[in-house]
Structure formats: C-alpha cells, structure tokens
Amino acid sequence: MSRFFWMHEDKAAAAKYGGEINAWHKLSLPGVSCGTCGETWAHTGHEYPCVDLAQLPERNEFARPRPEPFPEFARLRELVRPLVPPGAELPPGTGFGPLVGRATGVFGPIAWVWGQKLLVQREALSRLHSEGVQGLQACPTQLRFRQKDPPELLELQIEPHGRLHPDCIPPDEPPPCVTCGRFGLTRPDAPILDAASLPTGLDLFRVGNFSTMIVGTERFMEAVRRLDLDGITFQALPAH
C-alpha cells in the first residue's frame, strides 16, 4: 500500500524567496446558523477554484460572507451542486472561483496562501505531470503584482477525500449535527488515516472530515523531491 504524507508549508523556503500573497476566493457558500445544534459556523479547506459561478443568475448571493438559517443555506447549495464534482459535500463556507488579491516579491516553484492553499508555477505543474503524478487540477488565479513580468501562479484544486480513522477520534466526541452536519472535531494529536476510505488514482487530496489537512502520496513526495521543488515539508501519516 502506498504511504501517505501530511504536507505543510516549508517556512524556510518561503523566507528564502520572500514572496507574499494576500488573497482569497470572492465567492462562497454562506455560513450556517443552525437551529438544531445552536451553532453558527463555516468551514475552511473546501474550495473549488476551477468552478465558475458567473453563469448563475444568483451569483451575487455568494459574494457576501454571512450566516444563514439552514433552509436558505441548503437552497443556495443546490444552486451550485450541478457545477461541482460529483459527491462534493459543500459545507458552509465552501469557496468558488479564482483566488483574488495581491502578491508581491519572488516565488519559488510552490507557494502557499495562509498555509492552507497550494499554488504552483506552470512549469512546476508540467514537470509534476511528466513525472506521472495523478489527479492534479490547477486553475488560474487573479493575483495583482506590482512588478514587471510577474510569475504565473496556479491554484491547485485539492478536493476532500477519505477520512481520519475512528481510532484517533475520541470516543466521547459528539456525532455530526443531523441538520447542518457540523462535526466539532479538534485535530487529533496523532492523526491516523482510514485506509479503506482513501482515494485511488489521486496523489493529492484533503482529508474529508478534516479538510485543512493536505495529504500527498509517496509518489507525489518523491516527484517533488526528484524535481527539487522546494516549498513543502512532508510528515508521514499512518493509515490503518
């Protein structure tokens, strides 16, 4: 079975290049104010930069972050469902469309935004494809640079798949809300992947029930290291 690695921003590489990005997705599902569990919340880690909502007449309803009662949130979620990959969970706060904002300085082959979003230069993406890395989908950004001849940074659409193994989740953790689906899980100190739930034919994904965790396969890690694409550190993750 392939080995899996939890990926983090390489702060030393970021400091070496010195580039900075202040950007986010301008369109998103609203948050939820749930009458069942009493929580008001939105997710991070669910983003579809390759999904264009411009064709929707209701596009402006996704432009202002705010909480909505669950029925209104569910109505808006169904409007975008035909545009996203089959099976996408689309929790509150799911973002859509290109990354918009400002960028300054120099960037290496791989760059991060707030330690959560992974950007690649086009040449690096081509080299990863040539190494046989599977399932990479990258989308143009709308970053504004001050310098001449700015780099072309593409955002990887990294979709949530798989789950953390129940063995690393406290047994007294409350189950997800039956209405809004909120699961108030704090990241385990020693996360374990549920091997049976992990995707095949995909070398980069987020953990489905903890989507701020970006995971790469051994093939992805080896390709990054062979190509000397600095910007990522890799932490081995057990899978049971």
Side-chain angles (χ1 to χ4, degrees), residues 3-237:
R3 293 193 298 158
F4 297 89
F5 297 85
W6 185 5
M7 295 165 41
H8 307 272
E9 181 178 11
D10 185 338
K11 298 294 182 63
K16 177 177 73 173
Y17 292 106
E20 295 184 0
I21 299 172
N22 185 5
W24 208 252
H25 301 281
K26 292 299 185 183
L27 301 178
S28 64
L29 285 173
V32 158
S33 180
C34 181
T36 301
C37 65
E39 297 286 348
T40 297
W41 66 285
H43 246 306
T44 58
H46 289 253
E47 284 110 16
Y48 295 89
C50 300
V51 172
D52 183 7
L53 301 189
Q55 62 186 283
L56 289 180
E58 303 89 351
R59 177 187 183 280
N60 289 339
E61 297 189 55
F62 300 90
R64 182 173 61 87
R66 79 273 182 200
E68 292 282 5
F70 182 78
E72 174 62 7
F73 161 79
R75 180 186 74 84
L76 294 172
R77 179 173 60 184
E78 293 312 303
L79 291 177
V80 302
R81 194 175 296 283
L83 305 177
V84 301
E89 292 187 11
L90 302 177
T94 298
F96 306 100
L99 196 64
V100 179
R102 296 183 178 182
T104 58
V106 178
F107 294 91
I110 293 172
W112 294 74
V113 181
W114 308 115
Q116 299 179 35
K117 304 175 189 297
L118 198 57
L119 309 186
V120 295
Q121 298 214 34
R122 185 171 292 278
E123 181 185 0
L125 179 65
S126 297
R127 296 174 72 194
L128 286 168
H129 281 144
S130 69
E131 289 287 321
V133 175
Q134 298 181 351
L136 297 184
Q137 184 179 9
C139 321
T141 57
Q142 293 181 3
L143 298 175
R144 301 187 300 277
F145 289 85
R146 291 183 178 178
Q147 67 259 42
K148 295 180 179 179
D149 301 320
E152 183 182 10
L153 293 175
L154 307 173
E155 182 180 2
L156 292 173
Q157 181 166 295
I158 308 174
E159 299 171 16
H161 293 278
R163 291 287 185 269
L164 292 181
H165 197 282
D167 286 354
C168 70
I169 298 175
D172 58 349
E173 190 74 39
C177 175
V178 296
T179 298
C180 69
R182 183 181 184 274
F183 187 30
L185 174 65
T186 299
R187 188 176 67 212
D189 293 334
I192 303 169
L193 298 174
D194 183 353
S197 73
L198 300 179
T200 58
L202 192 61
D203 288 321
L204 190 65
F205 58 93
R206 295 178 181 272
V207 179
N209 59 350
F210 213 97
S211 57
T212 55
M213 291 180 65
I214 300 178
V215 175
T217 64
E218 186 171 14
R219 174 164 48 201
F220 182 85
M221 180 194 71
E222 290 179 345
V224 166
R225 290 182 170 174
R226 273 196 306 272
L227 298 170
D228 197 25
L229 302 179
D230 56 357
I232 302 173
T233 63
F234 295 89
Q235 177 183 341
L237 278 176

